[in-house]
Amino acid sequence: MARLPARRALLAAVLGVSWQQRLLGHHVVPAAWRRRRFSAGSRAEDSSPVTPMLKHLMFKIKSTGPITVAEYMREVLTNPVKGYYMHHDMLGERGDFVTSPEISQIFGEVFNQLGSLLNKCDISIHLVEVSPKLSEIQAFTLTGGKIQPELDVTSPVYMKGISKAGIPIFWYRELQDVPQGTSFYLAHEFFDALPIHKFQRTEKGWREVLIDIDPEAPDQLRFVLAPSTTPATELFIQRKEVRDHVEVCPDAGILIQRLACRIQEDGGAALIADYGHNGNKTDTFRSFRSHELHDALTGPGTADLTADVDFSYLRTMTQGRVATLGPLNQHEFLKNMGIDVRLQVLLQNSSDKAMHKHLLQGYDMLMNPKKMGDRFHFFALLPHQRLAHSDQKVNLRHSRSLSATVAGFGELVWK
């Protein structure tokens, strides 16, 4: 699956004569505490540009009160008129972020091993993508422009074509619209764009972090704490939680449940590659513009928003329907896939010093633990019977005996 922004959804809000009183009851997040606790940005902003999205959000907040971080992300990223993903080409050097395959050709070549197998199968490619701009790029890259819109208005497919290798390709806006059957799902930097709810532990208990208009700067937004528990607080905070700040992504949980059900019923597997953690991090909500950290509340609609994936939450949401592997950091995963050997082959086959430098720099960015090597992780869903000891339902991280049979999750052994 291509990188997928959050699903658009309606958020019910309660209005009444006591609205202003309720608004005054929200607790402001102190500026110093915000800089310490929230990853909104690493540099001061001289001004907050009043973007069309900011005007839209301010109208919404004035009408219904402070909004959740999840609603903020949905609007900023996927609003059909003003959303960041709907009209921007955010990839590459000219965009706001770079993904692993763009950093080095080796990342993609590791997965090229599947080519000889897939060529012998009757397969089709199904992309879930809500961004018109990204779907255009995907279509040109994969088909060379040989695409056609779906004329049947009742069909969930909005575009289709034939790849350069002769494989049929279809585009959808929702995972549930993709036909069921034995499938291999690939989600690369997919889940980190889904909307999150943020919660903070206080002396009065857990409070949800909301976004409000700053009364001292009416063209700017600020974080506030809800004066009392919200429905999301009651639903998503676990009693055994030990952290003081928690991010929860309900959309990710729903998608994982759907993937787990499909894999349980039809077979196949899913591989998730994303920035994330195993349930130990707190505040990871941040924004990027032109490859630099950017204040998440400044100039909404002009920068990407993201939050690290909580793989422990994804594992829980499978509800035991499938086996899980990982999360395994990118350094270990690519090493297990043979990236070191492939690098040496590429270096030996080229005498171009510039190419050597490019390959080594890309390798360092992918593998260096201080860069992407330890921040990017891989997580897999498989049928229980796919692993050894199939009579036991397993959820494991580094069990060599069981993961060695799955490429990338066990140490590479040459015979």
Side-chain angles (χ1 to χ4, degrees), residues 94-282:
R94 294 185 179 181
D96 296 313
F97 55 85
V98 176
T99 59
S100 296
E102 295 172 289
I103 292 173
S104 174
Q105 69 184 75
I106 312 176
F107 184 94
E109 288 187 355
V110 170
F111 292 92
N112 243 0
Q113 301 173 40
L114 297 174
S116 59
L117 173 63
L118 297 180
N119 287 337
K120 302 176 182 178
C121 301
D122 180 16
I123 64 171
S124 55
I125 298 174
H126 303 262
L127 298 177
V128 178
E129 181 59 74
V130 298
S131 168
K133 188 64 178 180
L134 286 182
S135 62
E136 288 178 11
I137 297 172
Q138 294 159 5
F140 181 80
T141 302
L142 296 174
T143 72
K146 297 179 180 179
I147 58 170
Q148 63 186 73
E150 176 55 61
L151 300 179
D152 183 359
V153 294
T154 63
S155 172
V157 176
Y158 67 85
M159 188 168 63
K160 57 187 177 182
I162 302 294
S163 77
K164 297 173 183 178
I167 300 174
I169 307 178
F170 305 88
W171 277 264
Y172 308 80
R173 292 185 176 87
E174 301 282 351
L175 172 63
Q176 64 224 41
D177 293 332
V178 177
Q180 286 201 228
T182 303
S183 302
F184 293 90
Y185 303 90
L186 175 61
H188 183 269
E189 292 195 43
F190 172 102
F191 284 90
D192 70 332
L194 298 176
I196 60 164
H197 288 266
K198 291 175 70 68
F199 306 94
Q200 176 65 34
R201 191 195 300 270
T202 72
E203 294 179 353
K204 297 181 179 180
W206 284 97
R207 295 292 183 266
E208 184 164 7
V209 177
L210 306 176
I211 294 173
D212 190 13
I213 298 172
D214 189 340
E216 298 181 0
D219 61 347
Q220 295 182 24
L221 302 174
R222 65 175 183 176
F223 288 111
V224 298
L225 295 179
S228 58
T229 59
T230 62
T233 308
E234 300 287 349
L235 187 61
F236 298 127
I237 295 298
Q238 304 297 316
R239 291 185 178 181
K240 61 181 181 180
E241 182 58 63
V242 297
R243 292 171 289 176
D244 290 331
H245 191 89
V246 175
E247 297 171 337
V248 180
C249 182
D251 285 17
I254 293 171
L255 285 168
I256 280 294
Q257 286 181 335
R258 289 174 177 165
L259 287 174
C261 288
R262 285 178 172 232
I263 293 170
Q264 182 185 38
E265 295 172 6
D266 305 319
L271 180 64
I272 300 167
D274 223 317
Y275 293 98
H277 58 93
N278 205 27
N280 57 310
K281 287 189 178 182
T282 55

Side-chain angles (χ1 to χ4, degrees), residues 313-333:
Y313 174 69
L314 300 190
R315 185 184 303 111
T316 298
M317 295 307 290
T318 66
Q319 299 177 322
R321 292 188 176 93
V322 293
T324 65
L325 292 172
L328 193 65
N329 67 44
Q330 179 164 283
H331 175 90
E332 292 185 62
F333 183 86

